[in-house]
Amino acid sequence: MATFKIKRYNPEKQAEPYYEEFQYDIPAGSTVLDCMNEIKWQQDGSLTFRMSCRSAICGSCAVKVNGHATLACQKQAENMVKNDTIVLEPLGNMKPLKDLAVDFTPFWDKINKVTPYLQPRSAPPEKERRQSPAEFKMIDDTSTCIMCGSCYSDCNVLEVDDNFLGPAALAKAQRFVGDSRDSKTLERVKQLSEYGGIWDCTHCAECVERCPKPAEPFYRIKEIMAVALEKGVHDNVGARHAISFVNSVKHSGSLNENKLPVESMGFFNIKGLLELVPVGLRMLLKRKVPPILHKSIENVQDVRRIFRKLNQ
Ligand code: SF4
Ligand code: SF4
Ligand code: FES
């Protein structure tokens, strides 16, 4: 027997959401979605959530279980019980519509922003556009995305910045950036390097934890970053930050924290550099300013050797 503590919301009846508890004896082998269905059928027919395939294929049953987004049909309920309770809430970063159903409009808007279709190099061939197995491997993982929204729900950047494209859209973008048959790679990485794109990801990797498929958006974002740098698209703070970081470690074995912000902003970006002044002053007052002279670490040769190996 477990308590299902479910976040309820029905704006037609009550403006504020609230939690309601249901007792349910979990049959062996039941998924969280099975239990939600039984609660709906036996206890409260008004309980609202989305579902379809019950097989982790359609992506529609994603909800927060014990605070983290997941597919309800993919989780064994018994394994999710904590202190005799399972907490169910709607996905985050999207507006709840009713109970566990949320408004996916911003999610789809952002998918549309990355031009989620092939813009081919040539006129349609007689048969299919062929790829080698190696070429297909570049887009294999991201092709597994089922658009469940779990990554979008738990992305830390989206909590504070609506403009961020988000993990699902960026994973979808890699699907075409990495496609050997697409003709717009440069245009795509230029657009994805703008504000709200790849460089605004904070590398927390929460989306990898939440993704039920091998799509794992953060790894796809890193792949787009690599293509952007290869294509010479680095006239932006994020790319300059990455390059400065790598150069500093390659040179001295550690991060030059005085140089990093200046190089990231760009030497001729006067406005950006002036914006750094208050931060610098606060660091000075709190005695957090790193030593002016940046020294190499002992055995820096070992670090340089690793870089040489990587380059090879
Ligand atoms: S790694 Fe980036 S995209 Fe993924 S959850 Fe963190 S901030 Fe969001
Ligand atoms: S990337 Fe993963 S978590 Fe995000 S929508 Fe696709 S399948 Fe769901
Ligand atoms: S019901 Fe389709 S993924 Fe869960």
Side-chain angles (χ1 to χ4, degrees):
M1 183 65 74
T3 300
F4 283 74
K5 188 175 173 188
I6 304 180
K7 195 167 189 183
R8 306 294 308 266
Y9 176 59
N10 183 352
E12 287 174 10
K13 292 197 172 157
Q14 185 175 327
E16 293 303 317
Y18 61 95
Y19 287 89
E20 186 170 3
E21 294 187 355
F22 299 89
Q23 305 302 316
Y24 181 63
D25 195 1
I26 301 172
S30 291
T31 64
V32 172
L33 182 63
D34 291 335
C35 300
M36 287 157 64
N37 273 325
E38 289 298 330
I39 290 169
K40 181 177 174 78
W41 296 331
Q42 294 172 19
Q43 302 189 36
D44 185 345
S46 72
L47 180 63
T48 302
F49 49 88
R50 292 194 180 101
M51 58 156 282
S52 182
C53 69
R54 303 195 304 169
S55 311
I57 293 170
C58 74
S60 53
C61 70
V63 290
K64 277 193 176 180
V65 180
N66 298 336
H68 296 292
T70 190
L71 296 180
C73 70
Q74 203 186 32
K75 287 283 182 298
Q76 284 292 305
E78 276 175 341
N79 299 342
M80 303 308 287
V81 178
K82 281 189 186 155
N83 301 326
D84 302 325
T85 304
I86 295 180
V87 181
L88 300 179
E89 294 162 316
L91 291 180
N93 293 328
M94 285 179 272
K95 203 172 131 230
L97 295 173
K98 186 165 182 251
D99 295 340
L100 302 175
V102 297
D103 180 3
F104 262 69
T105 306
F107 176 92
W108 293 117
D109 285 348
K110 287 171 184 180
I111 296 283
N112 283 331
K113 273 192 187 169
V114 303
T115 324
Y117 47 83
L118 193 75
Q119 300 177 85
R121 292 173 182 275
S122 53
E126 218 167 273
K127 290 189 180 171
E128 71 273 24
R129 296 179 195 279
R130 303 191 66 168
Q131 281 194 301
S132 68
E135 285 169 341
F136 176 66
K137 204 168 172 0
M138 298 299 293
I139 55 169
D140 190 10
D141 287 341
T142 188
S143 304
T144 62
C145 172
I146 55 172
M147 300 287 158
C148 66
S150 295
C151 57
Y152 192 98
S153 158
D154 288 19
C155 171
N156 297 301
V157 174
L158 282 169
E159 275 185 36
V160 292
D161 187 357
D162 282 345
N163 191 62
F164 184 47
L165 282 168
L170 290 172
K172 178 58 87 181
Q174 191 278 329
R175 159 71 186 78
F176 297 100
V177 166
D179 194 314
S180 58
R181 300 160 298 184
D182 195 83
S183 62
K184 301 286 182 195
T185 314
L186 181 63
E187 290 84 344
R188 287 182 189 276
V189 291
K190 275 185 181 166
Q191 184 211 343
L192 295 167
S193 297
E194 288 170 7
Y195 166 51
I198 45 175
W199 300 107
D200 285 287
C201 163
T202 57
H203 303 200
C204 71
E206 188 68 17
C207 51
V208 175
E209 295 289 315
R210 300 300 141 227
C211 184
K213 299 287 168 183
E216 300 180 325
F218 174 51
Y219 300 136
R220 309 290 82 77
I221 292 169
K222 289 205 293 186
E223 286 165 8
I224 304 174
M225 288 172 173
V227 176
L229 294 179
E230 267 167 37
K231 297 264 175 208
V233 181
H234 38 65
D235 189 18
N236 58 74
V237 175
R240 283 195 295 265
H241 181 87
I243 293 168
S244 172
F245 205 112
V246 170
N247 285 341
S248 174
V249 175
K250 188 165 36 177
H251 179 73
S252 64
S254 72
L255 187 60
N256 184 339
E257 292 177 83
N258 289 322
K259 227 173 167 188
L260 183 76
V262 178
E263 288 189 343
S264 302
M265 276 299 168
F267 288 111
F268 302 109
N269 180 358
I270 306 298
K271 185 170 170 278
L273 290 173
L274 285 175
E275 279 169 14
L276 293 176
V277 172
V279 185
L281 287 175
R282 278 203 300 277
M283 287 172 74
L284 204 62
L285 286 173
K286 301 273 181 192
R287 299 188 183 177
K288 297 269 184 188
V289 177
I292 301 294
L293 280 181
H294 180 70
K295 288 190 186 148
S296 295
I297 60 161
E298 235 178 275
N299 302 330
V300 65
Q301 297 306 332
D302 290 345
V303 177
R304 291 180 188 156
R305 204 163 41 241
I306 292 169
F307 272 91
R308 276 200 298 278
K309 268 261 181 239
L310 276 170
N311 282 340
Q312 281 164 19

